[in-house]
Amino acid sequence: MRIAVIGAGVIGVTSARELAADGHHVTVFERRSSVAVEASFAHAGLISPATLTPWAAPGRPGQLLRSLFGRHPMLRLSLGGPTSASPGWLWRWWRACAAPAHRANRARMQRLVQFSRERLHEVTASLKLDYERADGHLVLWRSAADSASMAPTLSMLHDQGVRFNTLDAASCLAAEPGLNPATELHGGVHFAHEEVGNCRQFAMLLRADAEERGAVFRFHSNVLGIEPGRHPKVTFLHQPHDDTSLLASHTETARTVGFQVTEPLNGPETESFDAVLVCAALGSPSLMAPLGLQLPLAAVHGYSVTTPIRHHEAHPDLGPRSGVTDQRHQVVISRLGSRMRVSGGFQLGGTAQSRDRDELALLYKVLDDWFPGAGRLSQAQRWKGARPMLPDGPPVMGASGVPGVWLNLGHGDAGWAMACGSARVLANQLAGRAPGIDTEGLGIERLRH
């Protein structure tokens, strides 16, 4: 089959590679200049099946209201911007925060992320991929209250047979020797079978493998519309621009995402395919709305700061060994080779161009609390990215109900953790095979209720 994939984030790239591996002729349309340039660019890199949970959860509406008045809140509401949550989105999100809905959506995400991690390891081993990664995830509790807040999750994980070790403060310091012993530490929980990895490096390696299998990547190609049917058509405009220099900055005022458009080389072009797969994240609603499908996607922005790790022969344990999460502030510090990345923030709405100084200040504070002096902050790369979030949490995958058009989108802040599994499920479905996991609640029918 000739298949068009729209979007070259980690979801689009993994999908293109799986389809090419199945023998399809794949063409990827991407408006930017490379793969994994937007939401996949500089997030935490954490693959954490045990702690993965829908953003819609019990107690979250109250957090959102308190965020309007608190300082350094974990959750912020920003009104305005092209990808802000609509009243309808907020209503569906509020309903999904109910405990029964949360449990169902968490189970759906857990099935997918477990399958995805297995597929990630299969692909990595079979292709002998070499990218920055490390095993282990340590969640730190600053106080007994932090421990108590995680108790229901740990009880559920225990019932599910998930392996983890509850640690006291001394054991946490032994697991991560670089931690600052002067910071208040009550204890923590260690997930030895979880991991962190460089999502963008992985996506670039997978792009190369997909191209070796015949996939074609058309960058600077802005898809204008889809004509559904037995042989769906994609209309696109080749429009060169320069975006790589503006992705991240060493200043507080530079924009995080943007591009300078030049005149298109030619007018719009149209090509026919046997199927079209939409992986365009926040660009998907505008493509699907003319086809009669309203996708309730909103942007939940997050921040990261990536810095080289200082090297001292007398202090070889500077920085984290793998992934470390501050439970109170919901900030992740990840080891990526010779660098570390501190990530956090949940800003509902707003734009990728605006910066919240309080969010960045919180990342620096948490980094200094746990690993003071470990980073070369003068060389720090700051980034803000928009996570394409459906109101209830899980992504939507499979046939769209529109002839010839398929979907793989809405993974929110878990795109990296779910990418390989989502791609394999979609490729199986498109080929008419069994998907590989139970896909209940992961199809478009869920959004039609």
Side-chain angles (χ1 to χ4, degrees):
M1 295 175 63
R2 295 187 69 244
I3 302 176
V5 176
I6 303 175
V10 68
I11 301 299
V13 173
T14 51
S15 298
R17 188 268 168 188
E18 293 286 4
L19 291 168
D22 280 359
H24 299 291
H25 300 282
V26 179
T27 301
V28 182
F29 295 93
E30 168 57 44
R31 63 178 180 155
R32 303 297 194 185
S33 59
S34 184
V35 302
V37 165
E38 297 190 42
S40 304
F41 185 73
H43 54 67
L46 186 64
I47 298 178
S48 177
T51 56
L52 180 68
T53 187
W55 197 67
R60 198 57 63 83
Q63 290 179 7
L64 187 64
L65 291 174
R66 290 191 294 273
S67 76
L68 299 175
F69 308 102
R71 188 167 183 263
H72 292 325
M74 292 185 292
L75 179 62
R76 291 178 182 271
L77 175 63
S78 179
L79 300 177
T83 54
S84 295
S86 67
W89 190 98
L90 289 169
W91 169 248
R92 296 179 73 156
W93 172 75
W94 179 80
R95 290 171 56 197
C97 288
H102 172 74
R103 285 194 297 270
N105 288 321
R106 182 186 176 109
R108 292 161 179 161
M109 295 174 71
Q110 291 283 340
R111 290 198 304 269
L112 181 56
V113 75
Q114 291 284 3
F115 178 69
S116 187
R117 185 175 63 168
E118 293 170 6
R119 185 58 184 162
L120 169 66
H121 293 166
E122 290 171 359
V123 170
T124 298
S126 65
L127 300 181
K128 297 180 173 57
L129 300 181
D130 183 14
Y131 63 97
E132 296 170 340
R133 63 170 306 281
D135 291 315
H137 175 211
L138 176 63
V139 181
L140 298 175
W141 302 325
R142 292 173 180 256
S143 67
D146 294 340
S147 173
S149 71
M150 202 172 174
T153 297
L154 295 181
S155 176
M156 180 184 63
L157 294 176
H158 180 270
D159 293 342
Q160 294 174 348
V162 176
R163 288 180 290 174
F164 59 86
N165 292 314
T166 303
L167 308 180
D168 59 17
S171 298
C172 288
L173 292 170
E176 283 285 355
L179 287 171
N180 180 11
T183 297
E184 180 184 14
L185 178 58
H186 177 76
V189 57
H190 188 244
F191 301 93
H193 299 285
E194 296 188 346
E195 61 193 273
V196 295
N198 190 319
C199 173
R200 188 162 193 260
Q201 277 189 357
F202 179 84
M204 295 178 77
L205 292 170
L206 230 57
R207 170 203 169 180
D209 182 74
E211 288 180 322
E212 288 182 4
R213 298 172 187 271
V216 175
F217 284 76
R218 294 187 178 176
F219 297 109
H220 306 298
S221 294
N222 188 24
V223 174
L224 305 178
I226 303 169
E227 182 180 327
R230 184 176 179 183
H231 296 288
K233 298 178 181 179
V234 173
T235 299
F236 64 98
L237 185 66
H238 183 66
Q239 199 166 15
H241 52 77
D242 178 17
D243 55 14
T244 55
S245 64
L246 296 174
L247 288 171
S249 72
H250 299 287
T251 69
E252 297 291 347
T253 57
R255 294 182 300 166
T256 53
V257 174
F259 56 87
Q260 296 178 343
V261 176
T262 61
E263 290 298 319
L265 297 181
N266 299 292
E269 302 176 56
T270 300
E271 289 189 24
S272 296
F273 297 89
D274 298 308
V276 174
L277 173 59
V278 180
C279 307
L282 292 169
S284 302
S286 62
L287 291 175
M288 298 306 299
L291 308 182
L293 182 59
Q294 302 296 324
L295 293 173
L297 278 172
V300 177
H301 291 93
Y303 292 81
S304 74
V305 176
T306 306
T307 172
I309 297 175
R310 294 183 185 276
H311 295 285
H312 292 293
E313 292 184 4
H315 301 283
D317 290 315
L318 285 178
R321 288 181 170 179
S322 183
V324 174
T325 295
D326 184 306
Q327 172 70 9
R328 178 179 300 176
H329 297 294
Q330 291 296 292
V331 169
V332 180
I333 306 173
S334 306
R335 178 71 177 239
L336 298 174
S338 60
R339 301 174 301 156
M340 60 181 172
R341 176 172 295 159
V342 52
S343 314
F346 294 89
Q347 182 181 358
L348 178 58
T351 66
Q353 288 75 29
S354 62
R355 291 277 187 94
D356 190 314
R357 291 182 180 273
D358 285 344
E359 293 282 4
L360 287 168
L362 177 60
L363 298 188
Y364 284 116
K365 170 191 171 355
V366 173
L367 179 61
D368 187 61
D369 282 350
W370 295 117
F371 300 102
R376 297 185 180 275
L377 298 184
S378 63
Q379 301 175 34
Q381 177 192 74
R382 287 173 283 272
W383 175 81
K384 179 182 179 182
R387 304 144 173 161
M389 195 81 73
L390 289 164
D392 53 358
V396 61
M397 306 181 301
S400 69
V402 177
V405 182
W406 298 70
L407 304 175
N408 191 5
L409 49 85
H411 296 73
D413 59 352
W416 169 224
M418 295 181 176
C420 290
S422 298
R424 188 65 256 164
V425 167
L426 194 285
N428 288 341
Q429 290 176 323
L430 213 152
R433 297 189 295 262
I437 61 168
D438 179 5
T439 58
E440 181 277 326
L442 297 177
I444 192 65
E445 66 280 351
R446 179 181 99 245
L447 302 181
R448 291 192 170 121
H449 295 323

